[in-house]
């Protein structure tokens, strides 16, 4: 444990621009307790483009030393951040509960995930495989021309801008996966805090700042700003010192940042995780044999956390028949008795209600079930709709639109061919789920896999897409509009690759080479030599 | 060897849309022999957007089967293309000579490089490391939640559009590195042939088409179109079936394609290799000890192939003094007696003359040397200019502009600090070169490396940047504007990564998994398990 006690911290409403606390001069942001509609103190003054510039300048200065930190030192920093987040104690959980309406158990779990993620990246940094060291030794005798000595390693792109998500105030926010993987890569981070949980953000930023100080790093390694997406967000992505962007949020927000990044004098990569309806395919044998438990499992996944997950199952695809009718009966029953749940923000709740109304108003859409009616503010009343494959294929943009919350659309297909056609017409997805019986429906399964591996980042069987493991094989990504860059993942150890680029060193004297490439291999890395290991 | 004889092929002027030969109906393109200004037959009718659509539809259809070809089958296809290119015999060399003005030895060498590159990617495909197979086995006993079984592999993005370069009619053109790496990744390719060497393109396309046929692949695996960048190029990048773009050419051309790709409904990655002036830093001790040989080496690199290389040394940075004066004397002498050389096209020659005139007209620029005057058409008359560090820093956009051809600008610095400042103010580069003496100037070398590894894809010592080895550690890439995507390389085995994306399989039955991920490891791949090997 560390110097920071678990004593109560006083929230100040100030940003972190390196070591400096600065109260923004733009319109103040207040968190709202969505469960009570109560406005929370303190006020968080919004930053402006001058604040952005200061933070980015500091990040740029910090980059010179931070990118050269040793593997052990950088790993220790990530672990120190984890310690400092734990040291914030219950205050972090209490504030996050107030700002998000999420229950204690969920937030404690999310804190564990956040801390675990930082520690995983510490391990990844220490192991050094991410440096992808490659050596093609000189061939002085080769004819007609000798080959020089060529060595490659990865270096960080430069300072990274991170935009936290509303729905994971810890694991996808200030010290979430984007920040952890960028810091692991050797990139300073400038966070734009999500306006829905500024107090949670301030506490976590305090923890990171303490870790920066304790590890004796340049103050510019981490800054955090409040403010509008329009002003602060745009200025951040447009700033010449920023070399990559991590974002989790809406399709409109993500594509706006993509445009800013593409129109810079020097375009930069944007890793935006945006929009996904996460289709669930109920294969015939599974539906036949366990329609009831499928209905229960599906309803549980849909209702969890008011459906406020990027991987919420927003689409169910099945073939008409007895089995499907039993599934519908079970799902209707489960949803009709489901209690309303507090959503993250008034804006999200409003968008949910509008999305549900839009779907309900479509002529080809039937409402199969609604949850219990709500009394308090910002409540999500679950919804299950159905339509035909034909109707969906005629209006994929309207019916395939993401409704963020516990809403799902069941597509009834006449046969396997229609089910495959639905799969083919889907946009890019984070996940696709297959409910199947081992050994049954093998031809359909094979055909679906062929289509879905081109549509989704992750394909799962006999589970539900909510729940994203932080590990080495995870892909939390997928073709547009699920993300802006299907070549990457924002969860798991491979997320570090997003902030790296290769550099080749040709005939550079051994003593001047980075340690990763020196002949004696002082970092004891696994290195590719002549294409092999 | 194969069914194709080395007998003379009759050039037809037709495109390849899959197996079909189609004469484009738009304005005809004629190759011009730049050495004689003679127009070459036949005419190549330009394609239109309907042709683009046909080729892309075919590519999309072919993708379904081509991406599932086995490693051995796909490798054999790449090797068959190499065989077919060799089987074109001397006709290919003769036509390429006529279309480009490049000498026989260079083109024979380039053919060897092209064939070698295809064979390297065949080896890469067979080895299978590019599948990056990762397995995190299930942990059913884990608390609080069990871990599912998670497996990751890479899949191809989809059909790729390739734009060949004028300056490497074989190695960076129809069957060049972009095509070879895309085909290796499992992506069908639609090439827009460069209008400067349509006959060379037709011959190579014929070879690829033969290989497609002999390997019994779907005809849509390869198409090639002629036409304007404006119509055919734009339509190709905008086509929904195309999922990535490989381009080698000008900054204007590359950034235009980047804009088209970013404005699609589904944005796609563009790998454009564009603009680089490849700074050469002459460190004090090296200049002191071997100014004469440095001058000879530099002049040789600058004059080679009329300077028509992406890695041409267009900038020399050195500190004033005796040594530099000797270098200048030597370089002046070498250049002043240099014969003019034929450039690739009238347009390139015109742009060269304009670029040289623009530089010569700058008030702070002195002309140090010009090559011998030319008499024939399209001749490159070498040029060496000098300026001060101060002047360069005041006008980096004008003085740092790429002049494609044998032109270079020497920047005279007063001291090491000025040299470092020049390095800091450079745009992104493909290469940066250091001429140094082992053990001398170590502080300066270290400071330069720190700056240059953020500026360039490849840093080399005591050589010249022309000459790009095709191997595993090569990086032919670099920050914008050297390329559009600094995370990648367009030369070497890592180029395959540009056309791949990861997919995660969670709890998928073993028999339904792709072979790369099945428990028994039937492909005998090196796989990451629980983060280790």
């Amino acid at each position: 444990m560390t110097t920071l006690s678990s004593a109560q911290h006083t929230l100040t409403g100030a940003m972190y621009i390196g070591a400096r606390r600065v109260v923004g001069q733009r319109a103040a942001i207040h968190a709202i307790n969505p469960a009570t509609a109560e406005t929370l103190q303190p006020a968080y003054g919004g930053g402006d483009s001058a604040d952005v510039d200061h933070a980015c300048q500091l990040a740029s200065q910090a980059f010179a030393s931070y990118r050269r930190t040793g593997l052990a030192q950088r790993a220790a920093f990530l672990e120190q951040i984890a310690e400092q987040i734990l040291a914030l104690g219950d205050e972090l959980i209490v504030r996050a509960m107030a700002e998000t309406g999420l229950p204690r158990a969920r937030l404690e779990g999310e804190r564990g995930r956040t801390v675990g993620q930082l520690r995983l990246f510490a391990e990844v940094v220490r192991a050094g495989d991410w440096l992808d060291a490659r050596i093609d030794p000189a061939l002085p005798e080769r004819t007609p021309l000798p080959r020089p000595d060529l060595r490659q390693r990865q270096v960080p792109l430069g300072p990274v801008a991170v935009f936290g998500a509303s729905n994971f105030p810890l694991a996808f926010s200030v010290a979430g996966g984007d920040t952890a993987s960028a810091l692991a890569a050797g990139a300073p981070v400038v966070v734009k805090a999500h306006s829905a949980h500024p107090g949670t953000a301030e506490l976590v930023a305090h923890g990171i700042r303490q870790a920066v100080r304790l590890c004796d790093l340049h103050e510019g390694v981490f800054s955090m700003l409040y403010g509008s997406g329009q002003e602060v967000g745009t200025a951040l992505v447009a700033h010449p010192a920023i070399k990559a962007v991590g974002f989790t949020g809406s399709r409109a927000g993500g594509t706006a940042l993509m445009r800013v990044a593409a129109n810079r004098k020097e375009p930069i990569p944007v890793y935006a995780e945006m929009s996904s309806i996460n289709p669930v395919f109920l294969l015939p044998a599974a539906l036949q044999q366990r329609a009831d438990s499928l209905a229960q499992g599906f309803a549980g996944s849909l209702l969890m956390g008011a459906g406020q997950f990027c991987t919420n199952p927003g689409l169910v695809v099945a073939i008409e028949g007895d089995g499907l009718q039993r599934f519908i009966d079970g799902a209707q029953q489960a949803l009709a008795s489901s209690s309303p749940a507090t959503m993250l923000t008034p804006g999200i709740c409003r968008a949910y209600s509008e999305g549900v109304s839009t779907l309900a108003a479509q002529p080809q859409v039937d409402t199969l079930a609604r949850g219990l009616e709500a009394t308090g503010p910002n409540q999500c009343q679950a919804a299950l709709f159905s339509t035909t494959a034909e109707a969906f294929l005629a209006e994929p943009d309207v019916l395939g639109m993401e409704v963020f919350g516990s809403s799902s659309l069941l597509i009834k297909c006449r046969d396997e061919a229609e089910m495959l056609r639905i799969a083919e017409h889907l946009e890019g997805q984070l996940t696709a789920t297959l409910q199947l019986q081992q050994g049954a429906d093998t031809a359909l399964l094979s055909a679906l896999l062929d289509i879905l591996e081109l549509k989704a980042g992750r394909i799962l069987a006999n589970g539900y897409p909510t729940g994203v493991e932080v590990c080495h094989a995870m892909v939390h990504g997928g073709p547009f509009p699920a993300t802006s860059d299907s070549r990457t993942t924002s969860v798991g150890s491979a997320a570090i690759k997003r902030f790296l680029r290769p550099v080749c060193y040709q005939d550079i004297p051994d003593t001047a080479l980075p340690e990763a490439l020196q002949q004696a291999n002082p970092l004891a890395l696994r290195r590719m030599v002549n294409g092999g290991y």
Side-chain angles (χ1 to χ4, degrees), chain A:
Chain A
M1 271 301 184
T2 67
T3 58
L4 189 75
S5 81
S6 292
Q8 192 78 0
H9 301 282
T10 308
L11 295 177
T12 65
M15 305 185 284
Y16 278 94
I17 298 183
R20 230 162 24 100
R21 307 301 312 271
V22 178
V23 176
Q25 299 302 302
R26 288 284 196 269
I29 293 153
H30 280 92
I32 290 168
N33 184 329
T36 62
E38 171 201 7
T39 296
L40 301 174
Q41 296 304 327
Y44 285 84
D48 57 22
S49 59
D51 297 320
V52 170
D53 187 50
H54 292 151
C56 293
Q57 297 279 2
L58 277 179
S60 190
Q61 289 160 26
F63 184 49
S65 55
Y66 184 61
R67 77 181 186 90
R68 290 204 296 275
T69 48
L71 301 184
Q73 188 190 1
R74 201 183 297 169
F77 172 50
L78 293 169
E79 287 165 345
Q80 183 60 251
I81 295 173
E83 289 303 311
Q84 293 295 327
I85 289 171
L86 292 175
L88 293 167
D90 205 46
E91 187 182 1
L92 178 65
I93 301 298
V94 170
R95 178 75 191 190
M97 286 167 67
E99 289 187 331
T100 63
L102 294 171
R104 172 178 286 276
R106 150 70 194 270
L107 287 166
E108 286 179 350
E110 192 181 327
R111 178 176 57 186
R113 180 192 181 89
T114 307
V115 165
Q117 193 161 250
L118 286 157
R119 289 175 178 158
L120 173 69
F121 279 110
E123 272 177 48
V124 166
V125 167
R126 276 202 192 89
D129 283 340
W130 59 277
L131 286 160
D132 193 13
R134 295 166 168 237
I135 301 177
D136 291 320
L139 299 173
E141 313 296 332
R142 191 182 65 173
T143 54
L145 287 172
R147 181 171 81 180
D149 180 87
L150 293 150
R151 292 164 191 250
Q152 185 190 121
R153 68 152 180 173
Q154 300 284 323
V155 301
L157 292 174
V160 171
V162 170
F163 293 76
S166 61
N167 60 337
F168 280 89
L170 302 173
F172 285 81
S173 191
V174 180
D178 285 342
T179 296
S181 54
L183 291 175
V189 167
V190 181
V191 171
K192 184 190 134 0
H194 199 286
S195 299
H197 53 260
T200 307
E202 184 182 355
L203 289 169
V204 173
H206 175 78
I208 300 178
R209 171 62 209 145
Q210 291 308 309
V212 171
R213 196 176 55 70
L214 289 167
C215 294
D216 206 18
L217 298 172
H218 189 293
E219 57 168 325
V221 166
F222 175 79
S223 291
M224 185 186 73
L225 307 166
Y226 299 106
S228 75
Q230 204 77 318
E231 180 170 8
V232 170
T234 302
L236 191 52
V237 174
H239 197 285
I242 295 296
K243 301 300 182 189
V245 179
F247 169 91
T248 305
S250 70
R251 185 167 175 170
T255 51
L257 295 186
M258 287 167 70
R259 275 191 298 275
V260 174
N263 289 327
R264 288 166 50 118
K265 188 182 169 196
E266 177 195 4
I268 56 172
V270 173
Y271 304 105
E273 190 247 276
M274 299 181 287
S275 174
S276 184
I277 53 174
N278 305 296
V280 177
F281 293 84
L282 308 177
L283 273 64
L287 205 48
Q288 195 55 44
Q289 294 182 34
R290 51 189 171 94
D292 298 332
S293 69
L294 286 177
Q296 297 310 312
F298 162 71
S301 177
L302 180 65
L303 293 168
M304 184 161 60
Q308 299 169 119
F309 295 100
C310 325
T311 53
N312 186 55
L315 203 71
V316 180
V317 189
I319 297 170
E320 287 174 338
D322 273 10
L324 180 56
Q325 194 50 56
R326 279 184 287 130
F327 174 85
I328 291 173
D329 293 345
Q332 279 179 314
Q333 214 170 347
L335 290 181
S337 60
S338 68
S339 304
T342 305
M343 299 198 84
L344 292 156
T345 71
I348 285 173
C349 190
R350 215 157 34 236
Y352 175 75
S353 298
E354 286 165 13
V356 163
S357 303
T358 302
L359 270 180
Q362 299 304 311
Q364 297 85 358
V365 170
D366 294 324
T367 302
L368 291 182
R370 290 302 309 263
L372 296 172
E373 274 202 46
T375 48
N378 303 313
Q379 298 296 296
C380 176
Q381 187 192 356
L384 180 61
F385 302 101
S386 79
T387 192
T388 63
E390 208 176 345
F392 185 85
L393 292 170
E395 292 274 18
D397 288 350
V398 179
L399 302 186
M401 182 189 62
E402 183 183 13
V403 178
F404 192 72
S406 296
S407 169
S408 194
L409 174 66
L410 168 67
I411 303 181
K412 298 177 182 176
C413 304
R414 277 179 301 215
D415 50 26
E416 295 188 1
E418 259 194 359
M419 180 177 264
L420 292 171
R421 208 142 55 235
I422 293 290
E424 263 161 14
H425 282 79
L426 291 171
E427 288 190 304
Q429 304 290 338
L430 293 171
T431 70
T433 300
L434 301 162
Q435 294 291 350
L436 55 86
Q437 292 297 107
Q438 287 263 13
D441 298 315
T442 49
L444 178 61
L445 170 61
S446 166
L448 277 171
L449 279 172
D450 272 350
I451 299 168
L452 294 176
E453 64 189 7
L454 300 179
K455 297 285 184 180
R458 177 167 56 112
I459 306 171
L460 62 146
N462 295 342
Y464 288 93
T466 42
V468 182
E469 186 73 29
V470 180
C471 60
H472 304 283
M474 177 50 62
V475 178
H476 192 59
F480 185 89
T483 78
S484 56
D485 191 336
S486 71
R487 298 163 293 176
T488 62
T489 174
S490 66
V491 174
S493 60
I496 192 174
K497 295 187 190 178
R498 299 177 298 166
F499 305 115
L500 297 168
R501 49 171 276 266
V503 175
C504 174
Y505 302 79
Q506 178 179 322
D507 286 338
I508 301 290
D510 197 62
T511 51
L513 278 173
E515 283 188 313
L517 299 178
Q518 287 174 7
Q519 197 56 32
N521 196 8
L523 301 181
L525 299 175
R526 202 176 54 90
R527 309 196 288 194
M528 179 191 275
V529 178
N530 280 323
Y533 288 91

